[in-house]
Amino acid sequence: QVQLVESGGGLVQPGGSLRLSCAVSGTIFSINTMGWVCQAPGKERELVASVTSGGSTNYADSVKGRFTIARDNDKRTAYLLMNSLEPEDTAVYYCNAALTLPDGYEHYYWGQGTQVTVSS
């Protein structure tokens, strides 16, 4: 069974850093785009960052210069390094990935979500 397994997150003071990880488990053919979205209380989910199979990245304006997304294809894992965290970054962060399975089709998966809380 294909799953995205997230780790990282937690409570951090303003100005601090966290690293989120998202690992793909199960039988797949290839990993296409991976990324994170976040959802704060009372708000809709919004894109944080994404990275294509070729390494092209995209960031929300609010995190540019502070967050970095990267992927290790050998480990089938994507990472979100979050620096200079602000209280406004507090949200549940969900990993997502577009995966090509052995059936030849692209399927879209979500991680379980991890809470990031920025507070003093």
Side-chain angles (χ1 to χ4, degrees):
Q1 182 178 358
V2 176
Q3 295 183 51
L4 301 185
V5 180
E6 296 187 49
S7 60
L11 173 64
V12 64
Q13 293 186 343
S17 298
L18 285 174
R19 189 181 80 162
L20 307 183
S21 299
C22 175
V24 178
S25 66
T27 302
I28 63 171
F29 182 75
S30 65
I31 302 174
N32 306 324
T33 299
M34 298 186 74
W36 271 268
V37 299
C38 69
Q39 186 167 23
K43 295 186 177 181
E44 296 184 355
R45 287 188 182 186
E46 57 181 12
L47 171 72
V48 177
S50 64
V51 57
T52 68
S53 58
S56 296
T57 57
N58 183 43
Y59 296 94
D61 288 342
S62 61
V63 307
K64 285 180 180 177
R66 300 189 298 122
F67 291 10
T68 301
I69 189 170
R71 58 193 283 169
D72 184 330
N73 292 324
D74 290 338
K75 294 183 178 179
R76 309 203 307 181
T77 301
Y79 305 95
L80 184 67
L81 178 58
M82 311 163 70
N83 293 323
S84 302
L85 282 160
E86 304 168 350
E88 292 74 21
D89 296 318
T90 295
V92 178
Y93 285 71
Y94 296 92
C95 173
N96 58 71
L99 309 174
T100 300
L101 299 189
D103 64 6
Y105 292 96
E106 184 174 84
H107 299 257
Y108 209 66
Y109 289 85
W110 290 90
Q112 76 275 18
T114 186
Q115 177 70 46
V116 171
T117 301
V118 184
S119 175
S120 56

